[in-house]
Amino acid sequence: MNKARGNASLQIRPIEEDDNKAVADIIRLVMTEFEAVGCGYSINDSEVDDMYAAYAPEGSAFYVVELADRVLGCGGFGPLTGGEPDTCELRKMYFMSELRGMGVGTMLLNLCLEEATRAGFRLCYLETMNGMEQARRLYGKHGFKYLDQPMGQTGHTSCGTWMARKL
């Protein structure tokens, strides 16, 4: 689907059922790297072990990033739980260290925003952590603004940074 800075072996594609284990491993490894474990973090979401099924409903999409035939990143969007019908949430956008700094975050973010717009959403919300500085810079660079409080009812009470942008 996309290539990062001339890397012909990089691909962003919709998740397939066979990707579930690799995606769950990425989410757990990256969240542990950033000490985002325990109550109130998305690492504990029941969907982590079956992201394919969780993002199959209309109005949701989830993607994997492959490099040299290895799934090394992921991210997607879906309706914001407990939010307005025109608001989606950017969810579980995580990359293994070998993908960071290659422009893949921008590529995946742009794809998610385009598809969320196509799905009829007018606002995109996200939650992240104060320690995920690279992610926060990426979101700010792409028009996300900081919020004073969370939106919806995600259950991610340990995330201290909330952002949103119009689509």
Side-chain angles (χ1 to χ4, degrees):
M1 194 176 262
N2 295 300
K3 307 287 186 255
R5 296 193 185 148
N7 192 328
S9 65
L10 186 124
Q11 179 184 18
I12 298 176
R13 62 170 175 77
I15 190 170
E16 298 172 358
E17 194 167 9
D18 289 345
D19 298 321
N20 277 330
K21 182 180 180 338
V23 168
D25 289 348
I26 290 166
I27 292 167
R28 290 185 174 110
L29 284 168
V30 173
M31 293 203 73
T32 300
E33 174 187 349
F34 285 93
E35 299 178 1
V37 295
C39 187
Y41 291 108
S42 65
I43 192 171
N44 299 310
D45 292 352
S46 60
E47 69 184 22
V48 169
D49 288 312
D50 193 357
M51 298 296 281
Y52 174 77
Y55 290 82
E58 192 171 325
S60 298
F62 202 81
Y63 304 96
V64 297
V65 181
E66 282 185 331
L67 180 62
D69 296 321
R70 289 181 52 220
V71 175
L72 297 174
C74 59
F77 69 91
L80 175 61
T81 303
E84 296 297 322
D86 68 346
T87 302
C88 70
E89 180 187 11
L90 184 69
R91 297 182 187 157
K92 295 179 179 64
M93 195 161 123
Y94 299 112
F95 302 106
M96 299 298 289
S97 59
E98 47 267 64
L99 283 183
R100 298 177 197 159
M102 295 176 59
V104 179
T106 293
M107 292 168 49
L108 182 54
L109 179 59
N110 285 336
L111 175 62
C112 287
L113 296 175
E114 289 167 15
E115 293 301 315
T117 301
R118 189 170 290 128
F121 294 108
R122 303 254 186 263
L123 185 73
C124 185
Y125 169 76
L126 66 84
E127 298 172 330
T128 190
M129 297 175 24
N130 296 338
M132 292 185 163
E133 309 229 356
Q134 231 179 329
R136 291 173 43 202
R137 277 194 305 274
L138 172 71
Y139 301 138
K141 183 175 151 183
H142 291 285
F144 282 85
K145 305 292 183 209
Y146 289 97
L147 304 174
D148 293 330
Q149 61 188 25
M151 294 175 64
Q153 299 163 350
T154 66
H156 303 149
T157 56
S158 294
C159 291
T161 301
W162 315 284
M163 302 175 85
R165 70 159 270 187
K166 290 181 182 178
L167 297 175

